[in-house]
Amino acid sequence: MKIEIKLTDDNSHTLFVPDLNETYHSKHGAIQESMHVFVNAGLGYFNQDKLTVLEVGFGTGLNAILSSVFALENAVLVDYTGVEAYPINNEITQQLNYANLIEGVSEEQFLNLHYLRWNEKTKISNYFSLTKLNKSIKDFELDNNFDVVFFDAFGPNVQPEMWDKSIFENLFNSLKENGVLVTYCAKGSVKRTLKEVGFTIENLPGPPGKREMTRAIKY
Ligand SMILES: C[S@@+](CC[C@H](N)C(=O)[O-])C[C@H]1O[C@@H](n2cnc3c(N)ncnc32)[C@H](O)[C@@H]1O
């Protein structure tokens, strides 16, 4: 798959996939979006000293590196699992500018997330462990032990099968009671499917450039 690196409005990089005509992040700001939707509305929702996170689409590792900073800054033990069906290669990850823009993150720390072995858990710091699973979320085995799901798939218009009821059912079951799924997407049909599988929907203001985002709660 061909991938191009693009600059977004907050000067952070994103990846563009010409075949899908889709970017990995908002063109209004990749770091900004990731902080708003996943870190603040996802991790920031909880008031507890341990969190288990499942990310659908590990991609550039941006959500993971920002979560590792959150973990350290807030003294929250984060156990993070990132599922990725199509890992990006090192030639691309070495060009991403996230370490230059995220305070407290070195280039080496960022690249290390990518160089880690797949399919095994690694302790990155006293507060952050990462397990990258090289598989499709469609093959993800149920285990209801997550507090948060970061649902960061390509949009429903370009990859509709990722927004199918069967996937959300699986994710609902993989969450603990009072767990949440956060996504940048606020499409009506997606929210209806989330409701059908049992989630309670919260419409939250979106990151700059987007009116709304969704937090779905498993009560
Ligand atoms: C919108 S991008 C976001 C990636 C990442 N969260 C980031 O910040 O860079 C969507 C990601 O989902 C991945 N993906 C596509 N199909 C998948 C599948 N069936 N299972 C897991 N990941 C998938 C893509 O390869 C891509 O990395």
Side-chain angles (χ1 to χ4, degrees):
M1 193 164 63
K2 195 166 172 274
I3 285 186
E4 294 168 12
I5 298 180
K6 300 266 186 212
L7 212 54
T8 65
D9 290 351
D10 67 359
N11 291 321
S12 58
H13 280 147
T14 191
L15 301 179
F16 175 66
V17 187
D19 287 348
L20 300 176
N21 190 27
E22 178 85 340
T23 52
Y24 275 47
H25 309 96
S26 159
K27 66 182 173 54
H28 300 287
I31 290 183
Q32 208 168 245
E33 175 186 50
S34 188
M35 280 304 295
H36 183 97
V37 174
F38 300 106
V39 176
N40 294 337
L43 304 181
Y45 172 79
F46 294 89
N47 186 13
Q48 54 193 57
D49 56 11
K50 270 187 194 175
L51 287 172
T52 43
V53 180
L54 173 67
E55 176 176 33
V56 178
F58 178 79
T60 61
L62 177 58
N63 293 330
I65 196 77
L66 289 170
S67 297
S68 74
V69 174
F70 173 96
L72 212 58
E73 282 179 352
N74 295 282
V76 175
L77 212 59
V78 174
D79 187 350
Y80 194 105
T81 301
V83 180
E84 177 56 66
Y86 312 103
I88 50 179
N89 64 40
N90 291 338
E91 207 182 302
I92 297 278
T93 54
Q94 283 160 5
Q95 295 176 62
L96 294 170
N97 66 358
Y98 301 141
N100 299 337
L101 299 170
I102 304 169
E103 222 180 287
V105 171
S106 68
E107 188 69 17
E108 193 190 351
Q109 283 168 327
F110 174 66
L111 289 177
N112 271 344
L113 298 192
H114 287 282
Y115 297 158
L116 287 185
R117 280 170 187 266
W118 288 88
N119 309 315
E120 63 185 54
K121 187 166 173 166
T122 308
K123 189 175 166 185
I124 306 286
S125 74
N126 284 340
Y127 286 101
F128 191 77
S129 308
L130 176 62
T131 311
K132 298 188 298 178
L133 299 178
N134 184 196
K135 56 161 74 173
S136 168
I137 192 65
K138 293 172 203 162
D139 305 324
F140 188 73
E141 281 154 36
L142 282 184
D143 202 1
N144 69 332
N145 58 15
F146 292 102
D147 295 298
V148 194
V149 171
F150 289 177
F151 195 76
D152 200 9
F154 290 126
N157 298 336
V158 299
Q159 212 188 0
E161 71 276 14
M162 290 292 282
W163 305 80
D164 191 76
K165 191 174 170 185
S166 58
I167 298 219
F168 288 137
E169 242 157 19
N170 200 5
L171 293 174
F172 183 84
N173 290 330
S174 74
L175 280 170
K176 294 178 191 166
E177 211 172 296
N178 296 318
V180 299
L181 176 150
V182 279
T183 177
Y184 63 86
C185 182
K187 205 176 165 182
S189 58
V190 167
K191 289 191 278 192
R192 277 192 293 281
T193 312
L194 286 165
K195 257 190 211 160
E196 272 170 38
V197 305
F199 283 108
T200 300
I201 303 301
E202 257 192 286
N203 300 308
L204 302 175
K210 264 205 98 201
R211 206 163 56 86
E212 279 188 347
M213 61 159 284
T214 305
R215 179 161 59 205
I217 307 167
K218 177 177 178 174
Y219 283 121

